Amino acid sequence: MEQNKENRALLVGAAANIVMAVMAWATYYYSNSEAILLDGNYSFIMFLGVLVAMKIVAVRATKSKTFPLGKFFYESLYGFIKGLMIFGVLVMSVVTAVVRIVMYFTGLSDNIPMLIPDPILYYALACAVICYGVSFFYYQQNRSMGNTSILLKTEQKATFVDGTLSLGIGVGVFFLSSGAGGGGFIPYLADSFFVLILAAMLIKEPLTIIKESVIELAGGTLQDEKKRAIFEAAITGNMPEAFNIEGIFISKNGSQYVVLIYISTDEAYYIKADIVAAKTKISHILMKDHAHLLLDIIPESNPISDLSQG
């Protein structure tokens, strides 16, 4: 069921991105806006990325001798690469904007085509509606899955960035270059200044994606504090009284969660049946919203520090 939701959401996103890419290329032809061209290339990269994401959904749970726990790391790797791609698009936009500004103020304005605002506005409004709609759709689908899909989370943020760039550049360029103050450098550099402003506002999104993906790939602890609280509540509320919880390690790799519970006991020995029963009960509770779960309870003769704080 979850895989079907992901595939359906990704298909919608793929269709939207290829449509926006074609729209952007046509708009660039009629408007001379380099920012719109970059936006179109970004949408096309998004389209290719969604195709890769759909392939990951199909193979992530496949187990082999090399990957006995599945290939969920592909999801985290995809998030990392997609974050780099988004970051790269923003950097390219900034570099292009700076080059245009430098060319203008060094007397090379003849080499910079003047902007034609009308096509930019139509494109901006259309893409904003599409992007924000798809981003919200990704959000809703991921929320219905317990926010477990790093693929949908990554696509949601990337689509939101795309929509904000399109809207900000398009509307800003239109009003500046067609308004009363549309003389001087504005017809040449309006989109460049908006690129710089929006890039500064949006740079946090890809950096967050990259950081979270690296932590997952490295096997670090779960960063989502709300999700951690849900896991810990299920564990502490269903552990036999005879067992003392000495540490809880929770890690996430794509849509797979790994939970290690370290316990001690005041009794002379552990009762294996009690450990198995507790593991089964806790796993059953958590797997209602986290289908890909690996959970183990590890008896320790000596108390250990809480690994979740490392």
Side-chain angles (χ1 to χ4, degrees):
M1 182 63 71
E2 289 187 357
Q3 181 170 324
N4 292 336
K5 286 184 178 181
E6 275 185 310
N7 277 327
R8 183 168 60 250
L10 292 170
L11 276 173
V12 171
N17 278 299
I18 194 63
V19 168
M20 288 188 294
V22 173
M23 288 172 54
W25 295 331
T27 303
Y28 165 70
Y29 179 79
Y30 290 107
S31 70
N32 297 323
S33 173
E34 292 289 341
I36 298 299
L37 175 61
L38 286 171
D39 197 43
N41 293 339
Y42 177 67
S43 294
F44 185 69
I45 291 173
M46 292 269 290
F47 166 72
L48 297 178
V50 169
L51 298 183
V52 174
M54 292 177 64
K55 178 63 176 178
I56 291 174
V57 170
V59 303
R60 66 186 175 190
T62 304
K63 298 180 180 180
S64 65
K65 290 183 178 180
T66 305
F67 303 106
L69 301 180
K71 301 174 182 178
F72 295 95
F73 71 93
Y74 283 158
E75 295 176 284
S76 301
L77 181 60
Y78 172 80
F80 174 72
I81 294 174
K82 194 62 173 286
L84 288 178
M85 290 168 63
I86 299 171
F87 180 76
V89 168
L90 292 177
V91 171
M92 286 176 58
S93 300
V94 169
V95 170
T96 301
V98 171
V99 168
R100 288 176 68 114
I101 292 171
V102 171
M103 288 178 63
Y104 180 85
F105 287 107
T106 54
L108 299 176
S109 59
D110 292 340
N111 297 324
I112 305 175
M114 292 184 64
L115 300 174
I116 302 173
D118 287 358
I120 297 175
L121 178 62
Y122 302 143
Y123 167 81
L125 294 177
C127 280
V129 171
I130 294 173
C131 285
Y132 291 144
V134 173
S135 181
F136 182 72
F137 180 64
Y138 282 145
Y139 171 78
Q140 289 287 74
Q141 292 297 297
N142 197 19
R143 188 172 69 170
S144 70
M145 299 163 54
N147 293 315
T148 59
S149 174
I150 189 174
L151 299 178
L152 295 186
K153 182 178 180 180
T154 301
E155 293 303 321
Q156 179 216 332
K157 290 187 175 184
T159 306
F160 180 82
V161 169
D162 191 16
T164 303
L165 279 173
S166 300
L167 183 63
I169 293 170
V171 176
V173 167
F174 175 82
F175 284 109
L176 281 180
S177 59
S178 64
F185 66 87
I186 290 178
Y188 298 95
L189 303 180
D191 63 341
S192 297
F193 287 118
F194 271 91
V195 165
L196 296 179
I197 294 171
L198 290 170
M201 293 171 57
L202 296 172
I203 196 67
K204 181 180 177 181
E205 293 292 341
L207 294 179
T208 299
I209 294 173
I210 293 170
K211 175 186 175 182
E212 292 179 354
S213 299
V214 168
I215 291 174
E216 290 190 13
L217 288 168
T221 58
L222 181 65
Q223 299 298 294
D224 188 333
E225 294 300 328
K226 292 183 179 179
K227 184 72 69 176
R228 173 181 293 279
I230 293 173
F231 275 76
E232 291 180 347
I235 293 168
T236 56
N238 294 278
M239 187 66 68
E241 293 183 1
F243 296 156
N244 305 312
I245 300 176
E246 302 296 344
I248 301 174
F249 174 80
I250 307 172
S251 182
K252 178 178 180 291
N253 195 355
S255 56
Q256 183 182 64
Y257 289 85
V258 177
V259 181
L260 301 178
I261 308 168
Y262 295 85
I263 62 171
S264 65
T265 180
D266 298 328
E267 305 294 334
Y269 55 89
Y270 294 95
I271 300 176
K272 183 178 179 179
D274 290 343
I275 295 177
V276 173
K279 176 181 177 179
T280 301
K281 184 177 182 180
I282 296 171
S283 296
H284 179 73
I285 293 172
L286 293 176
M287 288 185 71
K288 291 179 180 179
D289 296 316
H290 311 88
H292 306 294
L293 175 72
L294 294 176
L295 184 145
D296 202 2
I297 298 176
I298 303 174
E300 292 287 331
S301 58
N302 297 314
I304 64 170
S305 60
D306 186 355
L307 294 181
S308 67
Q309 303 301 315

